[in-house]
Amino acid sequence: MDVNQLFWQASIDDIKQGYTEERTHFTCLLCGETIEKGIIYPHEGVLYEAEKFMQLHITATHQSVFHYLNGLNKKMTGLTDHQSHILRLFYEGKTDQEIKEELEIGSATTIRHHRFALKEKERQAKTFLAMMELLKEHDEKVDTFVPIHKTATMVDDRYNITLTEEQQLLEKFFPSGIGKELVRFPKREKHKIVVLRAITKLLDDSKHYTEKELTAVIQPIYEDYVQIRRYLIEYGFMNRKDDGSAYWVKK
């Protein structure tokens, strides 16, 4: 399953720990890394069973689940940059006075106000989550929306598309099947998302591509491979080194 879809379908408890457990393996919700069960993993002279090794992976790769989530696009978290910064300082155990001095703002009273505002946001979020759960239970016919990739650079109405609509669009733009020729690159923003998402799935998310290797994947699909490559980066599906020497799927 796509790592973004896996992330959005996970429970709050699974997101908090950063991984899900399946019958044969653990999967990191943050990047899609899988750790097979039944194997002992050595690391720096210490042996780890699978779940402990997954926890080590999260710390080594993402610092912590909190830091990863806090670093997501503000459209994903609902936090301003200022709130994200303060929340990180709270998480790191800074006192109100220490935060005041680091940010050089207001007073300790101002910091306490931010704590109160964030608690209020927490209460609102719990209420909203409960309402959405009740809504889903009440109307099982509601079509599922295409999951938003966590690295999206812009989150707006262009993601207002259901899985049914996505399938219809894929059949329209890839009549011979995904991975075959793209009949045209769409002009509508939400249609671009569908096409770019499909092309991203053709890439190995564990690999760093040279420009030539990435071109070899895209060019058979669409002759203007430069345009596709640019949009993959612009929309947050891929990243690249400044000198263009390497491209990779963002997770």
Side-chain angles (χ1 to χ4, degrees):
M1 182 184 293
D2 177 84
V3 65
N4 291 295
Q5 188 174 355
L6 191 65
F7 179 89
W8 293 120
Q9 290 182 356
S11 68
I12 296 295
D13 285 340
D14 282 345
I15 291 176
K16 282 170 58 181
Q17 70 180 6
Y19 60 91
T20 58
E21 180 177 1
E22 298 170 65
R23 187 176 63 84
T24 60
H25 60 278
F26 295 95
T27 302
C28 177
L29 290 169
L30 314 183
C31 69
E33 178 76 16
T34 59
I35 303 295
E36 187 177 348
K37 291 182 178 180
I39 295 177
I40 299 300
Y41 297 86
H43 178 75
E44 296 182 353
V46 180
L47 300 178
Y48 296 87
E49 54 88 26
E51 186 165 15
K52 289 293 185 182
F53 195 65
M54 173 56 75
Q55 294 167 358
L56 178 66
H57 158 78
I58 288 174
T59 301
T61 306
H62 307 291
Q63 189 173 356
S64 74
V65 176
F66 177 90
H67 285 88
Y68 176 87
L69 297 176
N70 195 47
L72 291 175
N73 186 295
K74 60 185 177 183
K75 284 284 188 177
M76 299 290 184
T77 63
L79 300 170
T80 66
D81 292 339
H82 185 62
Q83 287 173 325
S84 293
H85 191 178
I86 288 178
L87 202 58
R88 177 176 58 79
L89 295 175
F90 288 160
Y91 183 81
E92 293 172 355
K94 300 290 180 67
T95 66
D96 292 351
Q97 184 62 31
E98 288 171 333
I99 294 172
K100 168 188 170 298
E101 292 172 359
E102 179 167 337
L103 299 181
E104 299 181 344
I105 58 170
S107 64
T109 301
T110 303
I111 307 303
R112 287 196 293 274
H113 172 75
H114 282 296
R115 286 186 186 273
F116 177 81
L118 289 168
K119 291 296 292 184
E120 184 69 17
K121 204 171 186 69
E122 178 190 18
R123 289 189 287 269
Q124 292 170 346
K126 284 182 178 180
T127 303
F128 182 71
L129 281 174
M131 292 169 63
M132 290 303 295
E133 288 297 319
L134 291 168
L135 175 61
K136 284 190 290 186
E137 293 171 6
H138 180 70
D139 190 356
E140 297 179 353
K141 295 179 291 184
V142 174
D143 201 352
T144 304
F145 285 89
V146 172
I148 301 173
H149 57 291
K150 304 190 298 299
T151 56
T153 53
M154 297 163 281
V155 181
D156 50 30
D157 194 56
R158 73 191 71 195
Y159 288 94
N160 181 16
I161 186 165
T162 66
L163 292 177
T164 299
E165 291 174 311
E166 179 188 48
Q167 185 57 42
Q168 293 169 347
L169 288 169
L170 289 175
E171 292 172 0
K172 174 183 177 181
F173 290 110
F174 295 99
S176 300
I178 298 173
K180 305 297 183 180
E181 184 179 3
L182 171 66
V183 293
R184 63 182 173 83
F185 191 67
K187 294 182 178 180
R188 291 189 63 186
E189 293 298 312
K190 64 167 55 180
H191 295 183
K192 289 178 183 176
I193 293 290
V194 169
V195 168
L196 294 170
R197 172 180 157 90
I199 292 174
T200 302
K201 290 183 178 180
L202 300 174
L203 300 170
D204 183 347
D205 63 9
S206 65
K207 177 177 178 179
H208 277 55
Y209 290 84
T210 64
E211 187 172 294
K212 183 177 180 180
E213 290 172 333
L214 185 57
T215 297
V217 176
I218 300 174
Q219 192 170 23
I221 300 172
Y222 194 63
E223 60 181 2
D224 191 354
Y225 58 87
V226 175
Q227 180 187 37
I228 298 294
R229 188 175 68 215
R230 184 177 71 249
Y231 275 116
L232 286 171
I233 294 169
E234 182 179 326
Y235 282 66
F237 287 99
M238 295 195 75
N239 207 345
R240 52 165 277 178
K241 288 187 176 180
D242 290 340
D243 61 2
S245 62
Y247 296 78
W248 63 92
V249 175
K250 293 179 73 174
K251 300 179 183 180

